[in-house]
């Protein structure tokens, strides 16, 4: 035998051992290593079959099929490979293929009972499907007549209902195939050219979205409908229709690339390997075609503003380095220049060659620019990107017109809202800041307006703030005196930002005392004035976002009901431009930002070195912060945050998650958050935000799960979706409080139902819970044991306890712990598992002091513990005669008799006495003892 064969055989044995112990990751690694070393076809087929078995256990059914296909090429008609492939097809609802594989197994192994059972079940399913398809065919034909046949004369209401029925049919695999067979795509293309009913149009587009979840069907859509047609439909003046087409395009890209939707990820999806930079896809050509056409259409003058925003959002989702890493292709396709053109659009300079934009276009463009900048892998790539922007700005400035200066200012503002470092690099160019100050000091209203916005965005770093304070404060004050309210409010925000230079440091005031209060009052007047438009109120919010770093301003604002309500109404309007102002103001009110830990030794050192020491205002004490948080919760901040959570900005999402966490810190606010729809938004934030944002959202979900019945807080499928975020908190880099709250939330979810417990098991949550059962922190350990106790209601956990491990032993030891809650949880778990297994009673005796532990439970002064002890002993005694003999030969006999004879209701639990009597009666029946309650003749 060759050395290679020996090595691959060793890998196979190691894989088999790991598989038996339930360590599937290790088994997968061993089998894969064996395949790389193996040269013998027969042995390679065995390794492939074994690896398929592992994939089957972890629900990676596509990989099962691939490995079984490869094994069957080497060993045709192998029954194990056929059976496992059939199981995978069955799990993926490919019942016809599963039935075919099971038939093939029966031909080789006709007496296999498991296969016969599966074959019988699949036969029924296939027959039912044939009947269902026959009925469905008639239904589809009827729907087609109502929706697509104008001569049918159906009412508008009937057509909408029929079109929505097509969406439902498309969700099922057999239904989607039937729709395609009967020419749905051709009919939809024809219909949308002249259909005027918006509801029918949207329903047809959503039907295509359902079909686009599959690669083959996506390719069929691209082939039969064509990309130009998709973009033509996207270019609609109706926003709901644009959103529907945008989602359809996202589904197509996800299907072609295999990138899962984070909001629809199932258990086991986290095992999928992340995409590597420059990795090619099976359908790279189609992906490139879609993204190139999206890029080319960005500056199409015939595109509607909503359509342009959707194109930008598609690029935001798929262009970054950690998704498709398509930024270099985007730059080569002149995408940066197109973005800069969009960023330069100004409503006041509209002409026949201008592009249509919305109020959200500039913000969306800034987010995409930020994503592109982050995707540059090294300094050279960033320098090339900067050079492109430099050249674009240079060409604008060479025009030498006031319009070109305005466009440069607007472009700078867009970059400072997105890739701040890049914006600061451009702003630092010689003469750029001076030009902005000169424009602000001019008499041109438009120049004043745009330059003021640029100065506000630029004053983010202290060096820029000081430069603007030196040269620009007087200019801003002059602009604030303007009669034009659009100039006045922008100048006000600029002054507010300069006034917040000291941050939360109460000892540092850039302006004179009382200036912040005056500026805040000016912002308030803009905010509560019903005659001011939404844009004015948005700027007022942004001004408050800087001023509310001052604790006195916070207290004044929180007591101003009309101003608070006006700000929250603005947030619920759906204008994403107000996200920064509203969210930052709320974060400041709640003190939901990170604070640097103050080390007394460092303070003393700073005093000695005569360095400035920040001081915290007394109005930022916890009592005042708690009051502000509660006021915001009662005013409906949750509903406002739900609307704002739709933003594409990762940093804004993190701030929103921090706010939800701060509000949910108080138990009475958690019900309000559920009423205001926070749970859905939090689930979204827990999967799509920064690392800190995900952690804060998950912890807020945990707090809700602790206080409110999970079935109420997370109805339907949402309860299972919340499991994954909570498990992410069981990590060493999370705080002890986050660990504790996650365990408590999981404990409540595990107590709801078996499907909930199965979700925790599928997400590989049990090992994480077990880890914290050994934690040094008493409360975390208690929460972990309580959670594990609820998990013990699952038959799969009972089987795990039966395995060759010390889990049952540790659970039994915990029932004699010093912590009373741990004793109750562990002994309660023992009551559940001992009644469900014939093997577990024998494992009790692996503990050296088992008799003392049972005696401790039976003689405990706490009635609930005594009851659990009596149940455990009763279950053990009735499990086996040998077990009963061991127990009754100890002092447990006297303890059982004593429990039965207790007559004081303060010390005796009636059910405990009943169990004790049953245990004694069982021992008497086995003739192990005489009846201690029998009267002498």
């Amino acid at each position: 035998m060759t050395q290679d064969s020996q090595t691959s055989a060793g890998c196979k044995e190691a894989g088999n051992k790991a598989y038996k112990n339930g360590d599937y990751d290790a088994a997968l690694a061993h089998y894969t290593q064996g395949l790389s070393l193996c040269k013998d076809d027969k042995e390679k087929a065995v390794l492939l079959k074994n690896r398929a078995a592992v994939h089957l256990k972890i629900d990676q059914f596509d990989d099962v099929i691939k490995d079984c296909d490869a094994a069957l090429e080497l060993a045709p008609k192998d029954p194990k490979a056929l059976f496992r492939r059939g199981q995978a097809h069955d799990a993926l609802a490919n019942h016809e293929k599963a039935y075919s594989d099971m038939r093939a197994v029966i031909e080789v192994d006709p007496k296999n009972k498991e296969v016969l059972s599966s074959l019988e079940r699949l036969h029924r399913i296939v027959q039912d499907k044939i009947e269902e398809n026959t009925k469905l065919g008639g239904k589809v034909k009827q729907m087609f007549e109502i929706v697509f046949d104008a001569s049918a004369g159906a009412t508008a209401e009937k057509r909408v209902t029929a079109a929505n029925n097509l969406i439902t049919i498309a969700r099922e695999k057999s239904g989607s195939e039937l729709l395609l067979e009967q020419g749905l795509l051709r009919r939809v293309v024809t219909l949308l050219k002249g259909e005027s009913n918006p509801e029918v149009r949207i329903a047809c587009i959503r039907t295509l979205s359902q079909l686009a979840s599959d690669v083959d069907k996506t390719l069929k859509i691209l082939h039969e409908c064509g990309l130009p047609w998709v973009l033509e439909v996207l270019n609609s003046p109706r926003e709901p229709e644009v959103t529907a087409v945008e989602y359809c395009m996202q589904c197509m890209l996800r299907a072609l690339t295999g990138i899962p939707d984070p909001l629809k990820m199932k258990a086991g999806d986290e095992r999928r390997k992340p995409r590597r930079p420059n990795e090619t896809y099976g359908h790279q050509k189609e992906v490139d075609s879609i993204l190139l056409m999206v890029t080319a259409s960005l500056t199409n003058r015939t595109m509607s503003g909503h359509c342009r925003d959707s194109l930008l959002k598609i690029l935001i989702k798929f262009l970054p380095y950690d998704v498709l890493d398509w930024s270099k292709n985007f730059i080569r396709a002149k995408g940066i220049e197109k973005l800069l053109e969009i960023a330069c659009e100004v409503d006041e300079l509209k002409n026949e060659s201008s592009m249509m934009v919305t109020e959200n276009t500039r913000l969306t463009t800034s987010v995409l620019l930020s994503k592109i900048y982050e995707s540059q892998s090294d300094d050279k790539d960033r320098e090339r990107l900067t050079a492109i922007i430099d050249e674009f700005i240079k060409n604008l400035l060479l025009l030498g017109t006031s319009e070109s200066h305005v466009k440069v200012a607007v472009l700078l503002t867009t970059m400072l809202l997105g890739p701040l470092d890049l914006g600061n690099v451009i702003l630092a160019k010689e003469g750029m800041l001076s030009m902005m100050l000169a424009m602000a000091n001019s008499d041109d209203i438009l120049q004043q307006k745009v330059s003021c916005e640029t100065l506000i965005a630029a004053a983010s770093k202290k060096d820029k703030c000081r430069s603007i304070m030196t040269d620009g404060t007087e200019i801003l004050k002059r602009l604030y005196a303007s009669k034009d309210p659009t100039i006045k409010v922008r100048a006000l925000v600029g002054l507010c930002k300069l006034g917040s230079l000291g941050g939360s440091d109460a000892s540092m005031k850039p302006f004179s005392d009382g200036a912040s209060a005056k500026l805040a009052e000016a912002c308030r007047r803009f905010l509560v004035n019903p005659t001011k438009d939404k844009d004015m109120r948005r700027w007022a919010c942004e001004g408050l976002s800087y001023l509310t770093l001052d604790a006195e301003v916070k207290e004044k604002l929180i007591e101003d009901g009309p101003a608070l309500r006006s700000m929250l109404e603005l947030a619920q309007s759906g204008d994403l431009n107000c996200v920064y102002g509203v969210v930052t103001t709320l974060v400041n009110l709640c003190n939901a930002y990170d604070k640097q830990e103050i080390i007394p030794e460092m303070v003393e050192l700073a005093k000695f070195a005569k360095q400035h020491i920040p001081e915290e205002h007394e109005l930022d004490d916890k009592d005042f912060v708690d009051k502000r948080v509660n006021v915001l919760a009662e005013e409906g901040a949750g509903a406002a945050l739900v609307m704002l959570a739709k933003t594409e900005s990762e940093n804004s999402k993190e701030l929103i998650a921090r706010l939800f966490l701060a509000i949910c810190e108080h138990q009475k606010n958690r019900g309000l958050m559920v009423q205001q729809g926070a749970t859905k938004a939090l689930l979204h934030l827990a999967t799509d935000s920064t690392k800190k944002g995900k952690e804060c959202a998950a912890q807020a979900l945990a707090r809700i799960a602790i206080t409110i019945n999970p079935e109420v807080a997370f109805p339907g499928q949402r309860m299972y979706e919340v499991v994954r975020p909570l498990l992410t908190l069981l990590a060493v880099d999370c705080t002890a409080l986050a660990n504790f709250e996650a365990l408590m939330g999981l404990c409540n979810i595990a107590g709801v139902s078996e499907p909930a417990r199965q979700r925790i098991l599928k997400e590989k949550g049990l090992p994480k819970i077990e880890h914290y059962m050994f934690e040094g922190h008493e409360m975390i350990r208690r929460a972990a044991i309580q959670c594990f106790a609820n998990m013990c209601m699952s038959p799969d956990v009972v089987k795990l306890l039966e395995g060759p491990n010390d889990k049952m032993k540790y659970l039994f030891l915990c029932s004699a712990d010093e912590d009373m809650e741990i004793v109750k949880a562990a002994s309660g778990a023992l009551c559940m598992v001992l009644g469900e297994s014939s093997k577990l009673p024998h494992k009790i005796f692996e503990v050296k002091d088992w008799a003392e532990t049972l005696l401790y439970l039976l003689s405990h002064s706490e009635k609930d513990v005594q009851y659990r002890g009596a149940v455990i002993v009763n279950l053990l005694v009735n499990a086996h005669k040998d077990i009963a003999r061991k127990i009754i030969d100890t002092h447990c006999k006297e303890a059982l008799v004593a429990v039965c004879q207790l007559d004081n209701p303060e010390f005796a639990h009636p059910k405990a006495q009943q169990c004790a009597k049953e245990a004694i009666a069982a021992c008497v029946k086995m003739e192990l003892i005489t009846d201690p309650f029998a009267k002498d003749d």
Side-chain angles (χ1 to χ4, degrees):
M1 190 180 283
T2 64
Q3 184 65 36
D4 279 342
S5 181
Q6 286 178 345
T7 307
S8 61
C11 289
K12 184 180 80 172
E13 291 304 317
N16 291 348
K17 187 176 179 182
Y19 180 83
K20 285 177 184 176
N21 292 333
D23 189 354
Y24 301 125
D25 288 332
L28 207 59
H30 287 307
Y31 291 140
T32 302
Q33 186 184 4
L35 282 165
S36 67
L37 298 168
C38 184
K39 293 180 180 177
D40 180 67
D41 284 353
K42 189 175 179 182
E43 194 169 353
K44 193 176 282 187
V46 173
L47 285 164
L48 284 164
K49 286 186 293 180
N50 289 1
R51 192 168 72 172
V54 179
H55 286 310
L56 201 58
K57 282 287 184 184
I58 57 179
D59 297 346
Q60 292 182 337
F61 303 117
D62 290 329
D63 292 327
V64 176
I65 294 167
K66 287 177 186 175
D67 280 351
C68 289
D69 286 344
L72 288 165
E73 285 180 16
L74 299 170
K77 296 188 178 181
D78 183 285
K80 283 188 178 179
L82 286 166
F83 181 56
R84 284 168 191 161
R85 188 173 71 178
Q87 287 178 300
H89 279 308
D90 191 10
L92 292 170
N94 300 328
H95 297 117
E96 293 86 353
K97 291 180 179 179
Y99 180 71
S100 176
D101 281 338
M102 295 302 178
R103 283 283 302 270
V105 176
I106 286 297
E107 289 176 11
V108 180
D109 186 7
K111 293 183 180 179
N112 191 317
K113 291 182 180 179
E114 188 178 2
V115 179
L116 283 168
S117 173
S118 297
L119 191 63
E120 186 180 344
R121 178 179 57 81
L122 286 167
H123 179 73
R124 287 197 301 270
I125 292 172
V126 171
Q127 288 300 315
D128 290 344
K129 269 197 167 185
I130 292 169
E131 290 180 23
E132 186 184 335
N133 285 347
T134 305
K135 293 177 184 176
L136 192 61
K139 188 176 181 182
V140 168
K141 188 178 179 182
Q142 185 185 3
M143 296 300 111
F144 275 17
E145 284 179 5
I146 295 170
V147 176
F148 301 114
D149 189 354
S151 62
T155 62
E157 186 180 352
K158 216 172 183 181
R159 292 187 71 222
V160 171
T161 304
N164 286 325
N165 285 340
L166 291 177
I167 302 173
T168 308
I169 293 169
R171 288 193 183 120
E172 298 297 327
K173 188 178 178 182
S174 56
S176 62
E177 289 171 354
L178 198 59
L179 289 173
L180 290 173
E181 285 172 12
Q182 297 199 13
L184 173 78
L185 299 180
R186 175 176 45 79
R187 292 170 185 267
V188 168
V189 170
T190 306
L191 178 78
L192 293 186
K193 285 179 180 177
E195 179 59 51
S196 58
N197 189 322
E199 290 183 72
V200 173
R201 292 178 68 89
I202 290 171
C204 288
I205 294 163
R206 286 177 179 165
T207 304
L208 295 184
S209 298
Q210 293 297 329
L211 296 176
S213 59
D214 177 84
V215 182
D216 294 333
K217 295 183 181 71
T218 296
L219 292 171
K220 200 160 188 177
I221 292 170
L222 291 173
H223 177 70
E224 292 193 24
C225 300
L227 267 177
W229 176 83
V230 175
L231 288 172
E232 184 185 329
V233 178
L234 179 69
N235 187 22
S236 167
R238 293 179 287 270
E239 190 175 357
E241 191 172 321
V242 173
T243 304
V245 182
E246 179 197 332
Y247 177 71
C248 182
M249 291 182 73
Q250 287 185 24
C251 289
M252 291 163 70
L253 283 165
R254 292 193 189 284
L256 293 168
T257 58
I259 296 170
D261 186 341
L263 301 179
K264 293 183 178 180
M265 285 175 71
K266 299 177 182 177
D269 281 351
E270 74 279 4
R271 291 176 173 271
R272 294 178 184 174
K273 294 177 182 177
R275 297 286 177 181
R276 295 187 298 276
N278 301 318
E279 182 180 356
T280 56
Y281 302 86
H283 302 285
Q284 186 76 46
K285 184 180 176 182
E286 288 80 6
V287 172
D288 287 344
S289 296
I290 293 172
L291 293 177
L292 280 170
M293 189 160 280
V294 167
T295 304
S297 303
L298 285 174
T299 50
N300 186 333
R301 265 56 183 177
T302 63
M303 287 288 180
S304 68
H306 292 305
C307 174
R308 205 174 315 281
D309 286 356
S310 287
L311 295 174
L312 292 168
K313 287 176 188 175
I314 289 168
L315 290 168
I316 287 170
K317 286 190 181 294
F318 292 95
L319 184 143
Y321 68 94
D322 56 347
V323 185
L324 287 182
D325 193 31
W326 210 77
S327 61
K328 289 181 181 176
N329 294 341
F330 182 77
I331 293 170
R332 280 196 292 270
K334 302 291 182 183
I336 297 297
E337 290 87 343
K338 292 178 184 296
L339 288 183
L340 299 178
E341 273 191 68
I342 295 170
C344 287
E345 285 296 321
V346 184
D347 287 339
E348 290 83 351
L349 299 178
K350 288 282 183 188
N351 55 47
E352 61 276 2
S353 64
S354 295
M355 288 179 275
M356 287 181 276
V357 293
T358 69
E359 58 189 8
N360 296 324
T361 302
R362 187 185 300 178
L363 186 63
T364 311
T365 305
S366 69
V367 173
L368 180 53
L369 280 168
S370 184
K371 294 280 185 186
I372 294 166
Y373 185 69
E374 290 167 7
S375 296
Q376 304 312 298
S377 55
D378 53 39
D379 289 341
K380 285 185 178 179
D381 286 343
R382 291 190 183 95
E383 286 170 9
R384 279 193 287 270
L385 178 60
T386 307
I388 293 170
I389 297 168
D390 272 343
E391 184 65 23
F392 187 89
I393 291 174
K394 180 182 173 184
N395 290 336
L396 273 178
L397 292 175
L398 285 173
L399 296 174
T401 63
S402 61
E403 287 186 6
S404 63
H405 287 184
V406 167
K407 288 187 175 184
V408 169
V410 173
L411 176 56
L412 272 172
T413 305
T414 305
M415 285 194 290
L416 289 165
L417 290 173
L420 183 61
D421 291 341
L422 182 58
N424 280 324
V425 167
I426 302 297
L427 190 65
K429 300 284 183 183
E430 186 178 354
M432 197 63 74
L433 186 57
S434 301
M435 185 180 86
M436 293 301 112
L437 290 168
M439 288 172 67
N441 201 29
S442 71
D443 294 326
D444 186 314
I445 295 292
L446 182 57
Q447 288 195 34
Q448 290 176 353
K449 179 180 170 182
V450 296
S451 60
C452 210
E453 289 180 17
T454 306
L455 292 174
I456 293 166
S460 299
K461 295 192 174 181
K462 286 194 176 181
D463 58 337
K464 296 287 187 302
C465 279
R466 293 191 189 283
S467 175
I468 294 168
M469 281 187 74
T470 303
D471 303 319
T473 304
E474 290 305 317
I475 296 172
L476 288 172
K477 285 181 179 177
R478 186 178 70 80
L479 292 175
Y480 180 61
S482 170
K483 292 181 180 179
D484 189 323
T486 61
I487 302 297
K488 189 181 183 78
V489 74
R490 284 164 173 79
L492 174 61
V493 174
L495 291 169
C496 290
K497 196 165 187 178
L498 294 176
S500 68
L501 182 62
S504 58
D505 183 358
S507 65
M508 190 172 177
K509 303 284 185 183
F511 294 153
S512 60
D513 287 342
S516 292
K518 290 178 182 177
L519 290 170
E521 179 58 31
C523 289
R524 181 198 179 277
R525 287 197 296 271
F526 275 103
L527 186 61
V528 299
N529 192 336
T531 63
K532 302 297 182 185
D533 63 20
K534 190 167 61 176
D535 191 54
M536 297 280 192
R537 292 159 64 203
R538 174 177 71 81
W539 280 106
C541 276
E542 190 161 338
L544 288 171
S545 72
Y546 305 121
L547 295 174
T548 46
L549 288 166
D550 186 325
E552 292 177 2
V553 175
K554 293 180 195 180
E555 281 301 304
K556 193 168 182 181
L557 178 59
I558 205 68
E559 291 168 2
D560 190 342
L564 272 182
R565 284 189 284 276
S566 179
M567 182 168 62
L568 295 176
E569 284 170 14
L570 178 65
Q572 293 186 60
S573 68
D575 181 4
L576 296 182
N577 287 305
C578 73
V579 171
Y580 176 82
V582 175
V583 171
T584 308
T585 304
L586 295 178
V587 166
N588 291 340
L589 289 173
C590 298
N591 284 25
Y593 40 74
D594 283 331
K595 288 187 178 180
Q596 190 173 358
E597 185 182 357
I598 298 173
I599 303 169
E601 292 82 357
M602 295 303 292
V603 173
E604 293 302 317
L605 187 63
K607 286 178 181 177
F608 179 76
K610 296 182 180 179
Q611 294 293 315
H612 174 73
I613 301 167
E615 296 176 13
E616 188 169 285
H617 202 287
E618 60 183 8
L619 293 177
D620 271 335
D621 290 346
K622 183 162 175 51
D623 291 344
F624 289 98
V625 174
D626 288 347
K627 182 195 77 174
R628 295 199 292 262
V629 168
N630 291 332
V631 169
L632 286 174
E634 288 165 8
E635 288 288 351
L641 293 175
V642 169
M643 286 297 295
L644 296 175
K646 295 174 182 177
T647 178
E648 296 290 341
S649 168
E650 297 285 319
N651 292 331
S652 294
K653 286 177 186 175
E654 180 187 320
L655 294 178
I656 293 166
R658 284 175 181 270
L659 280 165
F660 274 127
L661 180 61
I663 294 170
C664 289
E665 183 180 347
H666 304 275
Q667 191 170 326
K668 68 175 185 178
N669 294 336
R670 295 170 192 174
L672 288 172
M673 291 302 100
V674 173
Q675 289 173 15
Q676 293 168 20
T679 52
K680 185 177 179 181
L682 283 168
L683 282 168
H684 173 68
L685 293 169
T687 56
D688 187 16
S689 182
T690 63
K691 184 182 177 184
K692 183 66 180 177
K694 290 176 183 178
E695 186 181 324
C696 289
Q699 195 172 349
L701 287 168
R703 288 176 175 176
I704 290 170
I706 291 169
T707 307
I708 303 170
N709 181 348
E711 291 177 291
V712 176
F714 313 108
Q717 187 68 22
R718 210 169 284 171
M719 183 170 65
Y720 308 127
E721 292 173 8
V722 83
V723 168
R724 179 176 294 177
L726 297 196
L727 288 174
T728 61
L729 296 176
L730 301 184
V732 290
D733 55 344
C734 292
T735 63
L737 179 61
N739 296 156
F740 172 73
E741 290 177 337
L743 287 164
M744 291 293 288
L746 287 166
C747 180
N748 285 352
I749 290 170
V752 172
S753 65
E754 181 57 23
R757 292 186 284 276
Q758 284 297 324
R759 184 58 181 252
I760 294 172
L761 291 171
K762 278 191 173 183
E763 296 284 357
K764 311 300 176 190
L766 196 63
K768 293 184 178 183
I769 295 165
E770 287 175 344
H771 169 77
Y772 286 95
M773 289 170 67
F774 301 91
E775 176 66 39
H777 195 291
E778 183 183 342
M779 292 180 71
I780 293 177
R781 179 167 170 261
R782 181 196 300 164
I785 292 170
Q786 288 173 335
C787 186
F788 188 84
N790 278 355
M791 289 299 296
C792 285
M793 288 188 275
S794 173
D796 289 348
V797 177
V798 174
K799 287 179 184 176
L800 191 66
L801 291 171
E802 290 176 344
N805 53 61
D806 292 329
K807 299 181 194 293
M808 183 68 179
K809 185 177 178 180
Y810 181 67
L811 196 61
F812 188 64
L813 288 169
C814 287
S815 63
D817 199 87
E818 294 177 0
D819 186 292
M820 189 54 55
E821 296 301 318
I822 288 178
V823 170
K824 288 180 180 179
S827 55
L830 289 171
C831 293
M832 288 186 285
V833 299
L834 288 171
E836 298 296 325
S837 171
S838 58
K839 296 178 182 178
L840 291 179
H842 297 278
K843 298 191 81 171
I844 293 292
F845 302 100
E846 294 176 9
V847 179
K848 184 180 177 182
D849 300 324
W850 62 268
E852 286 80 356
T853 302
L854 291 176
L855 193 61
Y856 166 80
L857 293 170
L858 286 168
S859 58
H860 207 283
S861 58
E862 180 76 35
K863 289 195 293 184
D864 289 337
V865 176
Q866 181 195 101
Y867 173 40
R868 286 167 170 77
V871 172
I872 290 167
V873 172
N874 189 27
L875 289 168
L876 291 171
V877 165
N878 284 284
H880 198 277
K881 187 174 181 179
D882 291 341
I883 295 174
R885 183 181 289 109
K886 285 181 183 179
I887 291 172
I888 216 66
D889 286 346
T890 66
H891 290 297
C892 290
K893 175 186 173 184
E894 288 79 9
L896 286 168
V897 173
V899 169
C900 293
Q901 292 177 339
L902 285 169
D903 54 4
N904 188 336
E906 290 185 13
F907 303 109
H909 196 299
K911 290 184 178 180
Q913 291 180 316
Q914 181 63 32
C915 288
K917 287 175 183 176
E918 288 175 7
I920 290 170
C923 291
V924 171
K925 189 175 180 181
M926 294 178 202
E927 299 180 352
L928 298 174
I929 57 169
T930 57
D931 189 350
F933 306 115
K935 295 180 180 179
D936 296 332
D937 293 334

